[in-house]
Every structure is written in structure tokens, then in C-alpha cells.
Amino acid sequence: MDLTQQFLNIPDFFTPDLVNTIYRVPYQERAIAAQQWAQRYNIQPANADQKRIGLLLIDVQNTFCLPEFELFVAGESGMGAVEDNIRLCQLIYRNLGIITEIIPTLDSHTAIQIFHPIFWVNKNGEHPQPLTMIDLAEVETQIWQVNPKLDHVVDGDIEKLEQHALHYVQKLSNDGKYPLTIWPYHSMLGGIGHSLVAAVEEAIFFHSIARKSPTQFQLKGDNPLTENYSVLSPEVLDTVNNQTIAQKNTKLITQLLSFDALWIAGQAKSHCVAWTIENLLEEIVKIDPNLAQKVYLIEDCMSPVVIPGVIDFTEQANRTFQRFADAGMNLVKSSDSFCSL
């Protein structure tokens, strides 16, 4: 079956100009419209799908996707995440009849976490500025040290917290990962930045009603002692004494690999998207490298981190995705005729 044969119209209520705004989704109206849409196009409940397609949406949240928020992913165009989400909404509506499940991840933070300014101080008691990168040498020489007022974070023991912080940056260095980046406060639980982009939420809700398919929300990143670029595994899983502080999301890994086809989109291509795919590929290689062939990376529905005059991860992201393609994954665009089963 060529899945491109199933393209549907886009509902009239979808307005591309609203994708970069915050608005209240009129759920009851959309629920009625979705049921009428399903009847009009003979859209069957998702549990009847003979070929199951999963759509993994990584961190399509206001904090990353709206220009006025903390970590807007501008990409090369300067409006990357907004443009990506217009295409993403269109993708969902056009493929409403064949997407079995939608799995949105939600970056979820509180104030006191290892990658936020409050966690660290210099000898003058000053916190690092957002986007400061703290390397191993700077922790070893105490250029940056754990905020002594945070002793309650680990059993009221500041020495234990200091030991973990040193172990943490050492582990990042040994594993060849990015240095510890101090991020602006973002994706704060309970805050508006944590919410999905309204237009994307609306499309997901419409899909859930039309296909009788519960949305599988996945929260990540609320552990104060580690980072979660990837929804599948935190950056560091243990303390200096090999005590477990976090675990892989084995349940989600199993779910993702159970689909006949897995589509992936979201933000940012260079960070949370890349890390998630990396972890998924690691699991695929362990099980069966051929499983990579059923993964579709929708490149025009994601953008790299680009901060003009500061840093540009475009080339690094492109090299990483080429490596994914070399492993058998499919690099596609939302308008392509892809995923024939």
C-alpha cells in the first residue's frame, strides 16, 4: 500500500499565520469537527490499522518554538521552528488516516537543576550566565563550584553534591558529549513555555478524536542531577559511587521499535532530536540493524540551534543525520512521497 495515496485535505480552521502564537484550542468544537471529518473521509479507528505508523514529536513546545521564548530554535532562516511547525501541522492533517499514534515529548524542568544558573557559583558567589559552558578543568579548579546553599538537593550533604557535580562533568567529558551547558530557565513545569505550540496541540487533539487514538505524552528532564536531551536516556545515569539516579526509558524504546514505520520530527535537530535518534539507533544496532530502515527523519520539520554571532550547529547536525542515513534511516521532507509499506 502506498501511503501517499491516503493524503487528506487540511481542515479550514488551520491557519498558518497562527502557528507562532498562543491561543486557546476550542476542544469541543474541534472534537465535533474531528468526528465529522472521520465520517466524511471514512477514517477508521487506529486500532484497526494493519500497518502501524508512529509519529514521535520531540519538544514541540513554546519555549523552543515561539520567537519570544527562551530557547527559540531559529535555524538557518531565523524562523526555523515556526516554519517547521506549519509543515508539521499540515503533515498531521494530510496523513490523519494513517498515523496510528502520536507521541509528543515534553522537556520538563524546575528551577534547581544541574544545568541552570542557580546550581553553580564562582568564588565571588556569582552565577554563570546562560549559555556558559562548564568544562571539567573549571570544576576541578573550582572556577565553577556547586552553590553551597543547595546542600538539601542531595540528603543535606554538600560534599556529596560536589562529588556528583565533578563526576557528572567528568562523565560527559569521558563519553565525548557536549560540555555541561548552562541553559536559560526554560520549559518550566506549570509555565506557559512548557506547553505544546497551540497549533500543534490542536492538530494532535484532532488526530486523537478522529482516530480514537490516545496521545502518548512523554515527560523528560525533571531530574535535578542529570540532563535529558534524549527522551530515551538521561545523559548520566549514576553518581560517583555507582548509585543509580536515572534509567533508560525502555518501555518507550520498545514501543517505538514496535511500529511498522516511525516518523520523527521536532526541536532541536542538533540537540534533543539528534540525541533521541542516537539512543534509538544504539538500541537498533543491538537488536537488528535492519530496523533502521523503518525510521523516517522528517528534516523540514526540525531545525538546528543557531545563535547568530555565537554558535551554529547546522553543519554538525547535518553530519550527524548523514550518519543516521548511512545506518539505514530515511531522510525525508514532509512533502515527499515517503513511507510505502
Side-chain angles (χ1 to χ4, degrees), residues 3-286:
L3 297 180
T4 61
Q5 300 295 317
Q6 305 298 314
F7 276 4
L8 302 176
N9 292 327
I10 296 174
D12 291 339
F13 61 75
F14 174 67
T15 306
D17 288 346
L18 294 181
V19 172
N20 67 341
T21 66
I22 296 169
Y23 61 87
R24 182 187 67 82
V25 176
Y27 297 113
Q28 185 60 24
E29 291 178 32
R30 295 296 177 260
I32 294 171
Q35 293 177 73
Q36 294 172 340
W37 208 252
Q39 185 174 15
R40 175 179 176 182
Y41 288 102
N42 193 29
I43 298 171
Q44 299 302 306
N47 62 6
D49 289 353
Q50 294 183 351
K51 302 294 184 180
R52 299 177 63 254
I53 296 175
L55 175 58
L56 178 63
L57 301 182
I58 299 171
D59 300 356
V60 189
Q61 297 163 270
N62 291 330
T63 201
F64 303 112
C65 296
L66 298 190
E68 65 269 30
F69 278 80
E70 304 87 358
L71 287 173
F72 175 61
V73 181
E76 294 181 273
S77 73
M79 289 294 288
V82 174
E83 296 162 347
D84 297 336
N85 286 335
I86 291 173
R87 290 184 286 265
L88 175 59
C89 290
Q90 293 169 339
L91 175 83
I92 293 171
Y93 290 126
R94 286 171 177 158
N95 293 280
L96 201 74
I98 62 171
I99 297 172
T100 307
E101 292 182 15
I102 298 180
I103 305 171
T105 73
L106 293 168
D107 210 32
S108 306
H109 301 318
T110 56
I112 301 174
Q113 298 198 246
I114 199 167
F115 48 82
H116 277 158
I118 189 67
F119 200 93
W120 299 89
V121 293
N122 61 17
K123 64 181 180 181
N124 297 321
E126 300 163 331
H127 302 299
Q129 291 298 309
L131 302 181
T132 298
M133 291 191 178
I134 296 178
D135 62 29
L136 178 59
E138 291 175 313
V139 179
E140 289 177 329
T141 59
Q142 296 191 323
I143 291 175
W144 292 113
Q145 53 192 301
V146 173
N147 185 345
K149 296 178 181 179
L150 298 183
D151 59 338
H152 59 283
V153 174
V154 178
D155 305 326
D157 190 336
I158 191 62
E159 289 186 8
K160 187 180 292 186
L161 188 58
E162 290 171 341
Q163 290 172 358
H164 174 71
L166 178 59
H167 165 75
Y168 190 87
V169 294
Q170 194 165 38
K171 185 78 171 172
L172 293 179
S173 177
N174 292 344
D175 291 350
K177 297 185 177 182
Y178 288 153
L180 174 63
T181 302
I182 302 303
W183 295 106
Y185 298 104
H186 66 286
S187 295
M188 302 297 287
L189 275 167
I192 198 166
H194 184 259
S195 301
L196 288 171
V197 170
V200 176
E201 183 206 359
E202 189 170 33
I204 292 172
F205 178 80
F206 195 80
H207 169 271
S208 182
I209 297 294
R211 301 231 59 207
K212 313 297 186 292
S213 176
T215 304
Q216 306 290 325
F217 292 99
Q218 295 283 328
L219 273 64
K220 67 179 179 70
D222 60 346
N223 189 319
L225 299 180
T226 189
E227 300 164 274
N228 251 102
Y229 289 114
S230 168
V231 69
L232 302 181
S233 179
E235 293 298 282
V236 176
L237 301 173
D238 57 13
T239 68
V240 67
N241 298 317
N242 295 317
Q243 294 180 325
T244 299
I245 58 171
Q247 296 178 328
K248 288 183 180 180
N249 192 338
T250 53
K251 182 177 179 181
L252 179 58
I253 292 169
T254 299
Q255 181 183 6
L256 296 179
L257 293 180
S258 72
F259 290 112
D260 296 296
L262 176 64
W263 302 357
I264 301 178
Q267 304 301 338
K269 179 180 181 180
S270 53
H271 286 71
C272 293
V273 176
W275 256 250
T276 298
I277 298 168
E278 184 72 55
N279 286 161
L280 184 64
L281 182 56
E282 289 170 359
E283 299 300 321
I284 285 173
V285 169
K286 292 176 187 176

Side-chain angles (χ1 to χ4, degrees), residues 292-306:
Q293 297 174 18
K294 66 178 182 179
V295 179
Y296 294 79
L297 311 179
I298 309 173
E299 289 197 285
D300 65 339
C301 291
M302 58 180 76
S303 290
V305 170
V306 177

